[in-house]
Amino acid sequence: MPTVGVGPDYKKPMRTISAKPEEVERGWYLVNADGRTLGRLATELARRLRGKHKPIYTPHVDTGDYIVVVNASKIRVTGRKLKDKTYYRYTGHVGNLKSESLEELLARAPDRALRIAVKGMLPKNSLGTAMLRKLKIFPGADHEHAAQQPQILNI
């Protein structure tokens, strides 16, 4: 009877790979948000910021890439969300709960609606904050990250 672990037919058991922060290779990607639906774009951005598209994905390590989003002011939503969807923020003073519709938010700060949507899909801890820092959103077609040579990402 052959001994376990020896012989020509022996194969080593599979080992689970756990990524270490210093081993992670991060790329830079450019996404054009023109005509994209807010929620569908946000889910894919959150997935890539987390690094779930990589085989080395580890839940407790930030394995995601940097993402530059241009034309954020041209995102679209379905249905009556422009008028019905409401965003709330609290100023910190008594009775100062501010509310505005998605239409007003896009007119005032077009990048903020996408950032809020992506933030809600990331972990609610310091790891999620670090992932959100890698998201760079610009309302127009110009961006300041040309030196990083981002690759175009078709989502």
Side-chain angles (χ1 to χ4, degrees):
M1 178 170 276
T3 310
V4 176
V6 293
D9 296 336
Y10 176 70
K11 293 182 182 176
K12 288 186 178 179
M14 294 286 289
R15 297 286 176 168
T16 302
I17 297 171
S18 183
K20 294 171 184 57
E22 59 273 2
E23 293 175 354
V24 178
E25 294 180 17
R26 292 186 177 87
W28 281 79
Y29 294 96
L30 180 68
V31 175
N32 188 358
D34 188 9
R36 308 290 303 177
T37 306
L38 175 63
R40 292 174 189 269
L41 178 62
T43 54
E44 187 59 30
L45 293 178
R47 190 174 83 85
R48 293 199 170 258
L49 286 171
R50 258 198 109 180
K52 286 191 142 189
H53 64 289
K54 295 182 177 180
I56 197 169
Y57 169 72
T58 308
H60 64 278
V61 178
D62 184 7
T63 56
D65 297 320
Y66 289 91
I67 298 181
V68 180
V69 180
V70 293
N71 294 323
S73 60
K74 297 178 182 175
I75 58 172
R76 64 180 186 87
V77 291
T78 58
R80 295 174 41 183
K81 291 188 193 88
L82 275 177
K83 300 239 187 282
D84 292 348
K85 188 163 179 61
T86 308
Y87 290 92
Y88 297 99
R89 57 191 166 88
Y90 181 59
T91 63
H93 294 283
V94 177
N96 271 337
L97 180 66
K98 305 287 184 183
S99 63
E100 61 185 337
S101 69
L102 177 59
E103 189 174 34
E104 294 165 353
L105 181 66
L106 287 174
R108 186 176 61 86
D111 60 322
R112 191 146 319 151
L114 185 59
R115 185 174 305 280
I116 290 170
V118 172
K119 182 180 179 181
M121 299 176 190
L122 292 175
K124 280 37 169 202
N125 52 25
S126 57
L127 185 63
T129 306
M131 290 173 184
L132 193 62
R133 268 191 222 113
K134 295 183 302 186
L135 179 64
K136 317 293 182 183
I137 303 175
F138 298 95
D142 302 341
H143 65 88
E144 55 194 40
H145 297 285
Q148 284 76 25
Q149 299 173 348
Q151 301 171 13
I152 295 176
L153 184 64
N154 293 321
I155 296 178

